Amino acid sequence: LTARHLWEQVQSLLNDSPEACLIVDDSVQAKKHARKMDLVKRQYSGNEGGLVQGIGVVNLVHTDGETYYPIDFRIYAKDMDGKTKNDHFREMVLNAKQDKNIQANTVLFDSWYGSWENLKLVNTLGMVFFTTLKSNRMVSLSKEEGYIHLDEIDWTAEYLEQGVSIKLKKVPFRVQLFKVVAPNGDIDWIITNSDASLTTDNVQDEDAKRWQVEQLHRELKQLTGIEKCQCRKQRAQRNHIGCSILVWVHLKRIAHQTGKTIYQLKFGLLSDYMREQLKQPAIRMSLA
């Protein structure tokens, strides 16, 4: 089972248009007790908040703003194929635009994928990106000032409302930087190559769509058992991950048709089964 099988299943389900978005993010399928399991390596997991033993999966998700579907995925196995997560990022985005003919014109991703190669690729494809910067990133407001840290920028009222044009190292075009302050005081530094007149609120709303890929990751783990496979061979692990994603798509499709959430659908099936077994048990117990 490969990403090609996934595309065959979701192609007809997409509400694709230039207003749609692509989201790239990765998830670690935890294998905490694995010792001799292919594809497992120690890597950072945002869900765990640190390094864990697991299998990394990079996902490409399509969303129309409301409904989201994964359209591509890659197993992160640098020891086998020599590819980094950023290599997978570029492959999937190129494949989406050139082979799948996806019309979505916006790409959303976090700072992990904010390398100059990725920014340059998205811009070359004529697409708009929204991504976050790490707080230690160096930026330049003008050639005379040179490069400075983000917290050294004098954030005037105008900058806070409309952002500020900056230059990043190795990026051959300017981007607009926005400072987004959360209610708890946390700061997100968001950049975009959009030439539209955006406010900080507009950018925050656009970036918030990235949460849908986190929903996908949570649903995959809670409803499909994507982390449960204990097979040692990499082919079995790849097939299990591919099968789990296909199961999610099937649940999502039926849930959409029936007006339920996929949680209601999954646990409703279990409840129906339990009621039937209580009425007429398949395995009866008797006391001799």
Side-chain angles (χ1 to χ4, degrees), residues 137-149:
R137 193 81 174 250
M138 301 290 286
V139 302
S140 173
L141 274 65
S142 66
K143 190 174 182 179
E144 293 72 27
E145 291 185 37
Y147 285 91
I148 59 175
H149 284 285

Side-chain angles (χ1 to χ4, degrees), residues 54-270:
I55 300 174
V57 182
V58 186
N59 291 298
L60 179 65
V61 176
H62 179 285
T63 177
D64 61 7
E66 297 293 332
T67 306
Y68 55 92
Y69 285 99
I71 63 173
D72 202 350
F73 69 92
R74 296 287 190 275
I75 306 299
Y76 174 51
K78 189 178 179 182
D79 294 341
M80 292 186 175
D81 57 26
K83 295 179 181 179
T84 66
K85 291 180 180 179
N86 284 296
D87 292 330
H88 291 308
F89 172 101
R90 291 189 290 275
E91 281 187 4
M92 290 194 296
V93 171
L94 273 172
N95 182 266
K97 297 299 288 185
Q98 296 180 351
D99 296 337
K100 295 183 173 70
N101 296 316
I102 292 293
Q103 297 181 49
N105 198 48
T106 302
V107 188
L108 310 174
F109 47 97
D110 63 20
S111 59
W112 181 274
Y113 298 97
S115 67
W116 68 269
E117 296 101 328
N118 294 349
L119 301 182
K120 185 177 179 180
L121 170 68
V122 174
N123 193 71
T124 301
L125 291 173
M127 303 179 73
V128 174
F129 61 73
F130 290 86
T131 185
T132 54
L133 291 181
K134 294 180 179 178
S135 58
N136 62 352
R137 193 81 174 250
M138 301 290 286
V139 302
S140 173
L141 274 65
S142 66
K143 190 174 182 179
E144 293 72 27
E145 291 185 37
Y147 285 91
I148 59 175
H149 284 285
L150 292 171
D151 55 8
E152 295 182 60
I153 298 175
D154 181 17
W155 285 93
T156 64
E158 181 182 359
Y159 284 176
L160 289 172
E161 174 65 21
Q162 300 177 356
V164 56
S165 176
I166 63 167
K167 180 76 170 57
L168 296 171
K169 288 184 177 180
K170 296 186 178 182
V171 178
F173 52 88
R174 298 185 73 85
V175 297
Q176 198 74 0
L177 170 68
F178 294 83
K179 181 180 182 181
V180 178
V181 183
N184 63 359
D186 289 346
I187 297 175
D188 279 335
W189 307 96
I190 302 176
I191 59 169
T192 179
N193 63 334
S194 174
D195 56 6
S197 298
L198 300 173
T199 66
T200 300
D201 288 340
N202 297 147
V203 171
Q204 191 171 13
D205 290 341
E206 197 71 22
D207 184 67
K209 295 176 184 176
R210 281 197 297 117
W211 181 248
Q212 290 179 324
V213 76
E214 299 296 340
Q215 288 179 285
L216 170 66
H217 293 161
R218 183 175 66 250
E219 290 163 355
L220 280 169
K221 292 180 178 181
Q222 293 179 350
L223 299 175
T224 73
I226 193 171
E227 292 183 308
K228 302 297 185 181
C229 182
Q230 298 301 313
C231 296
R232 290 188 177 185
K233 297 300 181 181
Q234 60 99 10
R235 178 50 57 195
Q237 287 290 345
R238 289 177 184 273
N239 281 335
H240 176 77
I241 290 170
C243 186
S244 297
I245 296 173
L246 290 175
V247 166
W248 182 94
V249 171
H250 192 59
L251 287 172
K252 185 75 171 181
R253 178 168 50 212
I254 298 175
H256 182 71
Q257 293 170 350
T258 57
K260 299 179 179 180
T261 68
I262 60 175
Y263 285 95
Q264 291 172 330
L265 183 66
K266 171 69 181 290
F267 294 117
L269 291 172
L270 296 176

Side-chain angles (χ1 to χ4, degrees), residues 26-42:
D26 57 89
S27 174
V28 177
Q29 317 314 311
K31 307 287 185 182
K32 295 181 180 179
H33 306 293
R35 293 295 179 268
K36 297 181 180 180
M37 189 179 291
D38 292 346
L39 303 177
V40 172
K41 63 179 298 181
R42 195 165 179 79

